[in-house]
């Protein structure tokens, strides 16, 4: 029989203890930053109805990028490729019980069937941050503020990243003003603009012309990509989207966030449910100059479940792969084992096992990570094990120490060794 492969499925990862430690560290930093800003954590199921994604995420995501199947009851299901439709369903399900505005976040794993590449895998963990029930630009501002706060929690500053901001309502109005497009054609133009940096220029022009956009109109649209927000909004001064953009950028300036932000007419966000403000956060490092994550406003999503609801939403998703790439690129990951106390209780044949486990119990009861060495190895091998496994200290208690109620505590970093009474152990570590 052919032996099974030890490799994980393409586009997924194994998380050995070291990788789990790193992942838990940055998830913890994110969670702390958001809870400080009064966001509350939620979770949802990994399986959802396939039609949920087809209805609001777009046919491409639903049919081409989901892992989907028909269950034994004949229901078409998908493993979640994103979280926004799920949270909108959850909000709709408890509409009469919730107190708005809501400030929610989750960190959940997703699956998308796409080509694995740098920053993009088939299985990934994603932070999802959403604000429901605020119709004004204030929620857009707060969402962007929280994204900046999360990155700043890792030590990032304005030289390392930039938030690129646009507005879907404004985009549609500008395209209609320049090219006279109807809503459907405007939507198709947005799809081309969304991928303009991923395709050759000649393909971009060809696709635009196929929609009836002339060379002159393409040139007019091109000029917008380098405009600031004041000049761009002057093109459609009566646009609701222009007013939203102006109010948002005015607030960004007054709150000191403008140094992190820039207007970018080329930011569209490919998902169909976005209706107003949209944004993407870019890494400014030349070696990793790419969009890391983004989001925007989706005013109609809850209405998919409950008719005539006025519950608006704005949020964003940040993947763990792109976040880790950003942190590595800017050297923002510290030694997560530094100053971490972890004690290995070594063993000798002339001391009973229960005497050692009593030491472990005393340390653990005081909140100090500790374990007893398992097995029968020479003392030197036990020390080697402690060093390789990242223990900060070893506890040494031979027959003579056991008899007089003392232990020796060795700091593996400094090589300092102390003799302590057993009852003094916890106090030595400040517990």
């Amino acid at each position: 029989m052919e032996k099974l492969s030890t490799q994980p499925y393409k586009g997924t990862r194994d998380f050995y203890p070291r990788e789990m430690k790193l992942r838990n560290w940055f998830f913890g930093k994110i969670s702390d930053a958001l809870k400080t800003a009064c966001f509350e954590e939620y979770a949802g199921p990994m399986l959802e109805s396939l039609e949920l994604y087809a209805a609001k995420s777009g046919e491409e995501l639903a049919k081409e990028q989901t892992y989907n199947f028909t269950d034994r009851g004949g229901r078409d299901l998908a493993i979640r490729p994103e979280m926004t439709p799920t949270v909108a369903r959850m909000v709709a399900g408890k509409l009469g019980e919730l107190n708005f505005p809501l400030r929610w976040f989750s960190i959940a794993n997703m699956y998308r069937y796409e080509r694995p590449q740098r920053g993009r895998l088939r299985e990934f963990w994603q932070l999802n941050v959403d604000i429901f029930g605020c119709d004004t630009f204030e929620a857009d501002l707060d969402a962007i503020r929280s994204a900046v706060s999360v990155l700043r929690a890792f030590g990032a500053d304005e030289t390392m990243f930039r938030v690129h901001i646009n507005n879907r309502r404004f985009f549609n109005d500008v395209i209609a003003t320049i090219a006279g497009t109807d809503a459907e054609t405007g939507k198709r133009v947005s799809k081309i603009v969304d991928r303009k940096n991923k395709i050759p220029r000649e393909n971009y022009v060809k696709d635009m012309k196929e929609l009836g956009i002339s060379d002159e109109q393409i040139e007019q649209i091109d000029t917008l990509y380098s405009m600031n927000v004041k000049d761009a909004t002057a093109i459609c001064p009566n646009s609701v989207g222009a007013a939203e953009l102006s109010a948002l950028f005015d607030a960004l300036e007054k709150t000191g966030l403008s140094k992190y932000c820039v207007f970018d007419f080329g930011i569209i966000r490919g998902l169909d449910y976005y209706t107003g403000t949209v944004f993407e956060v870019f890494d400014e490092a030349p070696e990793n100059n790419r969009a890391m994550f983004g989001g925007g406003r989706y005013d109609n999503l809850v209405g998919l479940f409950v008719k005539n609801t006025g519950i608006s939403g704005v949020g964003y998703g940040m993947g763990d792969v792109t976040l880790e790439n950003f942190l590595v690129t800017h050297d923002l990951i510290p030694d997560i084992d530094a100053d971490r106390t972890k004690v290995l209780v070594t063993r000798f044949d002339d001391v009973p096992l229960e005497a050692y486990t009593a030491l472990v119990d005393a340390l653990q009861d005081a909140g100090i990570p500790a374990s007893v060495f398992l097995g029968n190895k020479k003392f030197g091998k036990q020390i080697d094990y402690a060093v390789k496994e990242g223990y900060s200290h070893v506890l040494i208690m031979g027959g003579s120490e056991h008899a007089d109620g003392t232990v020796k505590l060795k700091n593996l970093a400094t090589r300092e060794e102390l003799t302590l009474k057993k009852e003094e152990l916890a106090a030595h570590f400040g517990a």
Side-chain angles (χ1 to χ4, degrees):
M1 179 179 175
E2 186 177 347
K3 291 186 177 180
L4 297 174
S5 172
T6 61
Q7 296 301 308
Y9 170 66
K10 184 177 181 179
T12 68
R13 294 162 288 169
D14 292 322
F15 289 92
Y16 287 88
R18 175 67 188 175
E19 288 81 16
M20 280 297 296
K21 191 181 299 182
L22 175 62
R23 197 185 75 174
N24 289 340
W25 169 76
F26 62 70
F27 283 176
K29 295 282 281 188
I30 291 169
S31 180
D32 288 346
L34 289 169
K35 288 178 180 177
T36 299
C38 297
F39 284 86
E40 295 187 287
E41 191 168 8
Y42 73 94
M46 183 170 286
L47 292 177
E48 290 279 13
S49 167
L50 180 61
E51 67 177 354
L52 179 62
Y53 303 109
K56 280 299 178 182
S57 300
E59 292 293 327
E60 179 184 0
L61 180 65
K63 293 185 177 180
E64 297 179 17
Q65 294 184 14
T66 62
Y67 286 84
N68 59 78
F69 61 96
T70 302
D71 73 3
R72 294 178 182 178
R75 292 170 286 262
D76 292 328
L77 301 177
I79 301 175
R80 64 185 175 209
E82 58 159 337
M83 201 68 170
T84 305
T86 293
V87 70
R89 176 186 59 75
M90 291 171 63
V91 170
K94 297 278 189 178
L95 205 56
E97 304 172 33
L98 298 171
N99 186 37
F100 294 94
L102 303 177
R103 302 165 64 81
W104 286 6
F105 81 96
S106 69
I107 302 174
N109 60 328
M110 319 285 177
Y111 290 82
R112 289 189 187 180
Y113 190 81
E114 54 188 357
R115 182 172 63 86
Q117 53 189 290
R118 177 175 172 80
R120 191 179 296 255
L121 297 175
R122 289 178 174 174
E123 181 189 29
F124 56 96
W125 272 254
Q126 183 169 286
L127 164 68
N128 305 275
V129 178
D130 295 276
I131 301 171
F132 288 94
C134 177
D135 298 336
T136 71
F137 75 90
E138 293 171 354
D140 305 9
L141 174 69
D142 210 45
I144 292 170
R145 182 205 300 275
S146 76
V148 170
S149 295
V150 166
L151 293 178
R152 288 183 61 193
F154 291 99
D157 61 34
E158 66 271 21
T159 67
M160 300 177 185
F161 68 93
R162 191 72 76 247
V163 185
H164 291 233
I165 303 170
N166 196 14
N167 185 290
R168 287 282 280 264
R169 279 186 272 266
F170 173 69
F171 178 90
N172 293 338
D173 290 342
V174 168
I175 297 301
T177 297
I178 292 174
T181 53
D182 58 18
E184 181 56 33
T185 304
K187 180 179 176 181
R188 294 170 67 185
V189 169
S190 75
K191 298 290 186 183
I192 298 170
V193 172
D194 185 50
R195 64 176 187 272
K196 72 179 178 64
N197 293 328
K198 302 174 184 177
I199 60 176
R201 171 69 183 182
E202 56 268 27
N203 291 10
Y204 167 77
V205 172
K206 175 178 174 290
D207 291 345
M208 294 286 265
K209 285 185 174 181
E210 286 179 354
L211 296 180
I213 312 298
S214 68
D215 286 327
E216 182 181 354
Q217 291 166 343
I218 291 173
E219 288 181 11
Q220 286 182 270
I221 294 170
D222 285 347
T223 62
L224 282 149
Y225 299 138
S226 58
M227 282 189 185
N228 60 43
V229 68
K230 183 177 180 180
D231 292 340
T233 52
I235 295 174
C236 290
N238 297 321
S239 164
V240 171
E244 292 172 342
L245 269 174
S246 296
L248 176 59
F249 272 86
D250 183 55
L252 290 169
E253 181 68 36
K254 291 177 178 177
T255 56
L257 292 172
S258 59
K259 64 183 179 181
Y260 301 102
C261 303
V262 64
F263 169 72
D264 187 343
F265 188 72
I267 297 300
I268 297 299
R269 304 291 294 161
L271 299 176
D272 291 343
Y273 52 66
Y274 289 117
T275 56
T277 298
V278 285
F279 63 91
E280 291 186 1
V281 181
F282 282 75
D283 190 338
E284 291 288 281
E287 64 270 34
N288 193 43
N289 189 219
R290 55 159 295 159
M292 296 189 291
F293 66 94
R297 177 169 285 276
Y298 44 92
D299 289 335
N300 305 321
L301 197 52
V302 176
L304 178 66
F305 307 95
V306 181
K307 291 183 178 181
N308 301 319
T309 60
I311 305 300
S312 61
V314 58
Y316 61 89
M318 177 196 297
D320 68 318
V321 181
T322 53
L323 173 60
E324 186 172 347
N325 289 342
F326 172 78
L327 297 177
V328 169
T329 298
H330 294 277
D331 194 25
L332 294 174
I333 300 178
D335 180 359
I336 55 179
D337 288 325
D339 302 321
R340 181 172 181 263
T341 299
K342 182 180 175 184
V343 182
L344 178 69
V345 177
T346 58
R347 295 172 59 187
F348 294 89
D349 293 338
D350 56 349
V351 177
L353 176 61
E354 59 270 22
Y356 291 124
T357 59
L359 293 176
V360 170
D361 287 343
L363 288 168
Q364 291 180 352
D365 287 347
I368 301 164
S371 68
V372 65
F373 183 82
L374 302 177
N376 182 21
K377 288 187 177 181
K378 293 181 179 180
F379 179 72
K381 293 291 185 181
Q382 295 182 51
I383 298 296
D384 289 343
Y385 173 83
V387 171
K388 290 177 181 178
E389 291 301 309
Y391 284 85
S392 60
H393 297 76
V394 292
L395 207 59
I396 304 164
M397 184 176 71
S400 59
E401 288 87 6
H402 178 48
D404 63 16
T406 63
V407 295
K408 292 179 180 179
L409 182 68
K410 185 171 186 176
N411 185 314
L412 293 178
T414 65
R415 300 297 177 183
E416 179 185 11
E417 188 172 291
L418 300 173
T419 298
L420 302 167
K421 290 287 187 181
K422 292 179 184 179
E423 57 269 22
E424 296 173 342
L425 264 177
H428 174 79
F429 289 107

